[in-house]
């Protein structure tokens, strides 16, 4: 880790970001070949949380939020903070005051592989957060780290400017340069799913729609009436 | 595990199933001698989820939902899918499309010792699910398994046709042949609890109602005023 | 552990307790030097749960609630039950009936390093609970333990009569004799935070408010434009 | 769970049991279609532990070993105790004294989904144990349970008299009635593996031996030189 | 937590400490009424590790070992360092150099509710350590804490000067002032166990030695021949 | 993830690799600024395991080892296989036969964020493995993945050709291009540590060697004699 703060990053087209957010985590994850998903232990702090934005990354020491404050200095409206720590921690690195600061600067949300506190106040601010834990444990502001360098967050590689999508199902990262192609693949998937949904609602079986009776036969699965 | 799909199973009397559902998980678990409870890591995807139905069991490969599709082909209205995997996994083996398919066939709910996705959509469908995790991770449809053979799900043995009860406290299994006796024992327990509840609400102590002062004395617990 | 039940304990001034509750867990934890926090695995059973009261402690055997019943015999209105077990357990040691009994005696809430059941009913009673798990698993009433002796609960030391504060962020313990000084420190912190909040809402950066640009420079963190 | 102790059980042919033990856990697990494996959290207390024997099952209360004592009353020489608890526990339910008792009665080993203590002494006795945890936590002898009724242990169904195989890789259960066929399948697998081993030691690739180049091509995996 | 270093502490009689060490963790834990045991996740870094000594306590920030260095300044030969952190961490707070320093000052061992590194070198030094994790993660030397104030370590209360016993089964704490009575109780227990051991080795059943047949009958457990 | 197998990768100078291995995980991790460490849950399957080599990366489906077989086709003598899965799994993806194949091709060791089996046989082969779990669970050979593309393994980014160091303390990754500078920094650190070690062995305090008395004073830590 180089202790540095990179101010300027490239971002994806806002329309692509918006569309990826509409498609949702599960669809986008599938559309890009089942990649980019953060570990499922990352959960939203309130059930209706949704976000789509450009990743501004921060790497912090465990139990230290100095670099989150630094990150707020370089965000653009619509960005999503993506925070990891150099060793595992669940301390409450982010709370209401940082939430207010983020809202003032137009930050769209937070994804943090650590703990968060003041969750009731953050929910009242309508500021969406995905975290590993909820913890009131206080933290320091003294450890060097990085802003807008590549990080690993909850098992996934994140480059600054990548698109971050979060909803009730978790968080997925779309590499900036593939945002357009993933939108296209997502749209196709949604269209196809819409047709499949109608057939399933009409009572057709997945076995028939997906051609799975042959798979069962090939695998030697017997039907016993 | 025999790779087979058993189409016909015996089910308990629907009136017994309904009554067990009304009694709820904690009461039923107590009424049958504190047995049949799934591990407490099985949690509902929304707080008001409740279900009671006959178990249609499926054993899948980890990260593969082929046998869930097969199970939908043999369900009856009111059944509950109970799904386990051959090795531990939390991938998102069930989502909105399978939810629509289940609703179309009258499936009452899902109990799955793995992950589930599209949780907002499933909640909107009012389709209750108890799972080990929420994960958008995509899965395959290629691994042989079984439908309606005995399985172990979240630490509990489940036979096809057993009664499955789920609510905010978790999930409990009632063997099909003991459904009637468990209903009776549950009714008795609820009646007794109603009387106890009134005494407790009136301020009587559990120490006195349950005769625990003697237990404390026998165990050598001293009162220090 | 001495198997004993201590009936009389000293409590903090009710006005101090009330004020600590208004300040909330994160503020109080910070105000007393980042001490007293229970492990973050302690979670409320419903999102709006809040409590502040005097600790009545109970130490139980794993999967046994005999000493909770004993504790109810010595509580005063406004107390909070704080329960630990002699070895780790997540069985459902507390449910609706004990909840009714607690309500009848004016108990303000429960903090239990074990499992709880009947969570829907407890929420309907508006009885706040923080627990390690939700589990319907039934328990016994036979193992000796203690009431109102010092215990360790979820990693924190708790003396009988200490002030217990719980909210969406978790649970914190304030030693009885420091309640007044922690109220004062909390009030000062809230006043200071109110000023900081206004500056942050106006767009000032934490970097500037907290003097962190110097810290970054001292730590060798470079700005790359 | 019926509170009962079943004294007489059927056992597999000792020669088959011995041969299954020689084949080892991984081979036997594969030979019976990848079934019967206990959860990998079950670990031996010393690295060279190995066992093969007939399962005598015990279901205990959490933190209570009454039914282990009962089980020792019905074991035959060469049996393996397989112990589960009615709710999750890692207390030290088995130690040196029970180990001496087991050795006196010819018990070949212990598989316990809970904790064990006196591990140095048990290793000195050369008494192999697979457990979930090592814990000195003392337990009671008061809770009713069962001996030689079917149980679920560490995620696997175990019937009394089933063959239990344990080694450094974990523990696998072979249903008593399939012992002969699993020995045959294991022998075939070992013969085939011996041939494969020679080819691999000579430098042939698994890709070629198992025909995986076609699989890679079918899956669209490209070779980039 | 008061940020302070207390230089002088009272210690138990060295002969009592030595005898408690000979008795071992499981016996001592039982002899003092099944109290004082640290959580079973505390494991020795090599199988033959054993220790008995007086606790010198240190409370550190997560990922910071400043206060361990401070503790070495006040130890006496034969003491055991007992280290906890203010929030959960598994970073490698202790390694070979601190091990050499401890050996130079006669420290008998380390019990740390965090991570340790250089485990091969520490084993070569024959310096026994019980820890929560093994991790090479580097730590800082900057966070204030305490030495020789009461702490909670791995779920147990530890006062400076308490007796710390560690072996393959874990770690137990004996309050300084009860060292003599626990030695006596341990001796009695060992004598009684010696007699029981002979009877068990001769083939007598625990059922008969402990009078458990009556317990089984009272609990309604039936024998099925 | 692109489904591709990259045959040719750049490797670091073998002398640098050897030297990094001699320095060990903790020293190298510190020397490169406390970066590159895999999560501490990665443990060696035998205590004396040590390795240093060039990373050949493989990304597999959960419970599928197709891409490990593909990786063996492109390894050079001295390489270390570094394996991750697309979703979390602890199935036994690697065993004795793959171990024999690796030995035949000169592979120096395996680092796998999943399970491994036949651990006794792998230890007998003297083939070092660091894994997340030991599990006999069988796996398939059917899921597309990658070889020698960048991966995230146990929380760390790994590029093909990076240097992998493993010992009793865990696993650390050194980027290929910084191998020389990290060797130099490691050597300097070892020299400095050698001097510090002598002072510590002579009884000097870390407080004095590292100048920590001032730090304690600045932080307000008081000495109480």
């Amino acid at each position: 880790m180089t202790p540095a703060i990179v101010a300027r990053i490239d971002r994806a087209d806002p329309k692509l970001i918006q569309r990826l957010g509409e498609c949702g985590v599960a669809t986008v994850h599938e559309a890009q070949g089942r990649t980019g998903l953060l570990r499922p232990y990352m959960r939203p702090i309130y059930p209706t949380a949704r976000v789509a934005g450009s990743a501004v990354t921060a790497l912090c020491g465990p139990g230290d939020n100095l670099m989150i404050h630094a990150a707020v200095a370089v965000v653009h409206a619509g960005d999503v903070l993506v925070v990891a720590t150099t060793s595992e921690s669940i301390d409450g690195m982010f709370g209401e005051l940082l939430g207010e600061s983020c809202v003032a600067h137009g930050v769209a949300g937070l994804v943090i592989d650590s703990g968060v506190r003041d969750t009731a106040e953050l929910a009242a601010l309508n500021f969406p957060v995905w975290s590993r834990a909820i913890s009131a444990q206080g933290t320091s502001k003294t450890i060097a780290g990085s802003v807008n360098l590549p990080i690993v967050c909850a098992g996934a590689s994140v480059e600054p400017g990548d698109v971050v999508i979060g909803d009730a199902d978790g968080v997925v990262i779309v590499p900036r340069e593939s945002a357009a192609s993933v939108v296209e693949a997502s749209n196709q998937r949604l269209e196809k799913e819409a047709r499949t949904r109608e057939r399933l609602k009409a009572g057709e079986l997945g076995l028939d729609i997906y051609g799975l009776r042959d798979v069962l036969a090939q695998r030697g699965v017997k039907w016993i009436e």
Side-chain angles (χ1 to χ4, degrees), chain A residues 20 27 31 49 56 58 79 88 102 121 145 149 209:
Chain A
L20 288 169
T27 294
V56 166
D79 288 345
E88 286 186 274
C102 282
E121 291 79 1
L149 292 179
I209 294 173

Side-chain angles (χ1 to χ4, degrees), chain A residues 63-150:
Chain A
D64 190 281
N65 64 14
L66 175 61
M67 302 314 294
I68 301 180
H69 285 282
V72 177
V74 302
V75 294
H76 286 195
D79 288 345
V80 175
L81 289 183
V82 181
V83 180
T85 53
T86 51
S87 71
E88 286 186 274
S89 174
I90 57 168
D91 291 350
M93 292 168 60
F94 190 100
E96 183 218 359
L97 289 185
L98 267 167
E100 291 280 12
S101 182
C102 282
V103 168
H105 290 268
V107 175
L110 169 72
V111 172
I112 183 166
D113 191 5
S114 186
V116 66
R117 65 184 184 182
D118 301 330
T119 50
E121 291 79 1
L122 292 169
L125 280 173
N126 210 22
F127 184 76
V129 178
W130 288 255
S131 73
R132 178 181 203 146
I134 294 171
S135 170
Q137 179 68 44
T139 55
S140 56
K141 293 178 176 58
T142 64
I143 306 180
S146 72
V147 170
N148 278 334
L149 292 179

Side-chain angles (χ1 to χ4, degrees), chain A residues 20 23 27-29 31-32 174-175 178-187:
Chain A
L20 288 169
C23 294
T27 294
V28 166
H29 159 70
Q32 68 179 348
V174 178
S178 52
S181 64
V182 174
V183 163
E184 191 176 6
S186 297
N187 286 339

